[in-house]
Amino acid sequence: MIIKGGTTITADGPRPADVIVEESTITAVTEPGQATGAGPIIDATGLWVLPGAVDAHTHFGMPLGSGVSSLGWQESSAAALLGGTTTIIDFANPTVGEPLPEAVSKWRGMADGVILCDYGLHVTVTDVSGDRLAEIPALVEQGLPTFKGFLAYKGRLMLSLVEMKRLMEAVHQAGAMLLVHAEDGEMNAAAERVLLDTGRTAPCWHPLAHPDESEVKAVAEILDLATVTGCPLTIVHMSLGQSLELLKKTRNTQGRDGKLFGEVCLHHLFADAGLYESGHEAALAAICSPPLRTEGNGDELLSGLVAGHLDLLSTDHCEFPLTVKSAAAGGGFPRVPNGCGGVAERMVVSHSLAVVTGKMDPARWIETCCHRPAELMGLASRKGQMAPGFDADIVLFDPLAEYRWDPLGSSDRAGSLWAGLPVTGRVRDVWLRGRQVVAGGKLTGDQPGGEFLPRHL
Ligand code: URP
Ligand code: ZN
Ligand code: ZN
């Protein structure tokens, strides 16, 4: 197959080029008109020809205590493909006392044969007993080199600082990286208690149970622990300009660039806490942790991402049907499952609101959404680049087409975070390892099935 007449985006910027694909691999990226070979010719005139995007942080099949789950592996991965994302990295979340390898097998059992895009798994660690930590090196060997620990969610997932230090030492020793949810669980629990004790149970109160100070404290503490232990660290879903400043300062003063990374998610860049005040449904859709923050933080985070002080633009896609969030809200906002959608929207929304507005150049856009997530998460040789030898995960993106905020056409999506934004553009066609999975903005139905990707840092 030859994709002709489009514009690719290299590290130096946009470049007209033709792309040759043989079977599942990109074999050449040539000057326009230079491509030769057999197979179908695709006319990409007027389109961006992009590497399939990589989302380093999703939750596609998240079971909750009450038995409900986020939209599930199939529907969420369909949304990913329709949004131009061909690779995601999700999480295996062990239950209490469950060995980590068993959790990985269980989560692979849920995804394999169902998921439509390629995927890897981070492993969540909530128990730092010797048995659990001893399981880490073998998982790293098997292609699971990234783990997640929480300073938030008291009584469920939270680790104390002492426990977190043990985890960081074990992860570091195994040559792996730790992802950390940096909010102070004690502080959040205390704030939540005051709200509930004074009768403030509606969804609009959710952000007050997650004070800015809680994230700032946790970010400072985890940066200290990373410095002490030497453990490679990505602070995920950073939501405040103040957090970014702390990361910047530590990177500068400790000279630890290359081991400390920051992730920002689409909703913290382009949605804000005003949504909690704009009606019950919008407030429900916006319930996530850390919460949406006051206007201004998004601009600071975007500037940090553009300048290279943050590394990844992910989604933390964890989308629950609006009916599920709504039913849970009857028991008060703490019962509402946390999480927002975004995997269908990340490329189009960030293109419109960051690239077209001139805040971010196209090369940095592709770096933060495709190349860097692949590189940081151990997929550098296969994913995230439009170059010979890479998987033929290719997206044709029309920057001028009308935006369709819900490509799945579902009325039960809580994804309405994005509905009112001034967004233009559409993912037209997508190939996953050389097979077309989206044509004209619709799934082809000829799904090759997503593959589990072993990763190595
Ligand atoms: O609200 C969120 N972020 N839900 C997903 C779980 C997490 O903490 O990343
Ligand atoms: Zn988290
Ligand atoms: Zn998450």
Side-chain angles (χ1 to χ4, degrees):
M1 171 174 82
I2 304 176
I3 300 175
K4 281 195 164 176
T7 306
T8 59
I9 299 176
T10 70
D12 297 326
R15 171 186 154 205
D18 295 344
V19 177
I20 306 179
V21 170
E22 284 171 29
E23 300 191 349
S24 61
T25 308
I26 297 167
T27 53
V29 180
T30 72
E31 293 296 316
Q34 301 293 304
T36 52
I41 293 185
I42 312 292
D43 180 7
T45 305
L47 305 178
W48 291 127
V49 183
L50 308 174
V54 178
D55 190 340
H57 186 163
T58 65
H59 305 270
F60 277 4
M62 180 89 120
L64 288 182
S66 54
V68 289
S69 73
S70 52
L71 289 185
W73 297 94
Q74 185 160 8
E75 196 166 346
S76 299
S77 56
L81 294 178
L82 290 164
T85 291
T86 47
T87 297
I88 58 109
I89 310 180
D90 214 277
F91 293 80
N93 300 309
T95 52
V96 176
E98 186 176 37
L100 304 181
E102 277 179 30
V104 169
S105 300
K106 191 154 76 186
W107 285 71
R108 283 201 58 185
M110 291 190 250
D112 288 337
V114 178
I115 190 166
L116 304 179
C117 62
D118 284 354
Y119 80 105
L121 289 173
H122 310 290
V123 183
T124 300
V125 183
T126 57
D127 168 0
V128 295
S129 62
D131 284 353
R132 293 293 81 79
L133 297 186
E135 292 161 355
I136 287 177
L139 291 173
V140 175
E141 284 283 303
Q142 290 158 27
L144 297 116
T146 46
F147 297 81
K148 184 174 180 189
F150 290 82
L151 291 173
Y153 302 125
K154 183 179 178 191
R156 289 193 291 136
L157 308 170
M158 186 177 94
L159 296 177
S160 68
L161 289 175
V162 172
E163 291 169 327
M164 189 62 88
K165 183 161 178 269
R166 286 196 71 195
L167 176 58
M168 291 179 107
E169 284 162 352
V171 166
H172 182 33
Q173 205 164 18
M177 173 156 71
L178 191 66
L179 279 51
V180 169
H181 181 133
E183 285 187 280
D184 186 282
E186 295 286 354
M187 210 186 264
N188 287 0
E192 180 180 297
R193 194 67 262 150
V194 171
L195 291 164
L196 297 181
D197 285 348
T198 55
R200 292 172 168 97
T201 59
C204 62
W205 299 108
H206 167 77
L208 274 78
H210 297 259
D212 289 7
E213 293 74 14
S214 162
E215 180 174 313
V216 173
K217 177 171 183 285
V219 166
E221 286 167 344
I222 203 66
L223 287 170
D224 282 349
L225 284 185
T227 305
V228 169
T229 60
C231 181
L233 169 72
T234 296
I235 305 180
V236 293
H237 45 49
M238 295 177 74
S239 72
L240 293 164
Q242 280 171 279
S243 305
L244 165 66
E245 287 309 313
L246 288 172
L247 176 63
K248 251 165 80 176
K249 201 167 124 210
T250 311
R251 276 177 157 185
N252 290 337
T253 58
Q254 309 281 330
R256 291 181 37 79
D257 231 347
K259 279 196 168 186
L260 291 179
F261 308 102
E263 174 199 74
V264 64
C265 294
L266 191 73
H267 48 281
H268 291 127
L269 288 178
F270 302 117
D272 66 57
L275 280 173
Y276 297 115
E277 305 297 333
S278 58
H280 187 68
E281 263 192 18
L284 281 175
I287 287 194
C288 59
S289 298
L292 303 183
R293 303 294 191 181
T294 50
E295 227 183 325
N297 280 292
D299 285 342
E300 284 181 59
L301 293 165
L302 183 57
S303 300
L305 187 67
V306 169
H309 303 308
L310 293 169
D311 303 277
L312 307 174
L313 199 180
S314 309
T315 61
D316 194 7
H317 181 95
C318 186
E319 185 167 11
F320 295 91
L322 202 47
T323 44
V324 168
K325 281 193 155 184
S326 194
F333 73 82
R335 294 279 175 84
V336 178
N338 280 211
C340 298
V343 80
E345 291 85 7
R346 179 176 61 139
M347 296 307 285
V348 178
V349 168
S350 60
H351 180 268
S352 244
L353 301 182
V355 180
V356 176
T357 55
K359 294 175 181 171
M360 184 184 239
D361 66 41
R364 184 70 185 146
W365 178 53
I366 291 308
E367 192 176 14
T368 58
C369 293
C370 307
H371 174 55
R372 196 74 177 124
E375 187 178 59
L376 261 188
M377 298 300 161
L379 294 169
S381 60
R382 281 187 72 172
K383 301 291 187 185
Q385 276 199 71
M386 184 67 68
F390 278 71
D391 282 4
D393 299 344
I394 299 175
V395 173
L396 299 190
F397 182 104
D398 184 345
L400 299 187
E402 191 187 340
Y403 175 57
R404 216 167 38 140
W405 79 268
D406 186 359
L408 289 174
S410 156
S411 58
D412 196 26
R413 288 187 71 214
S416 52
L417 288 191
W418 316 110
L421 293 175
V423 171
T424 306
R426 191 181 297 175
V427 169
R428 199 189 80 176
D429 302 296
V430 180
W431 287 262
L432 176 64
R433 284 177 273 107
R435 288 186 61 186
Q436 188 158 16
V437 288
V438 175
K442 291 199 165 52
L443 294 173
T444 58
D446 182 22
Q447 306 303 333
E451 275 182 6
F452 175 73
L453 301 169
R455 297 174 293 117
H456 298 282
L457 298 184

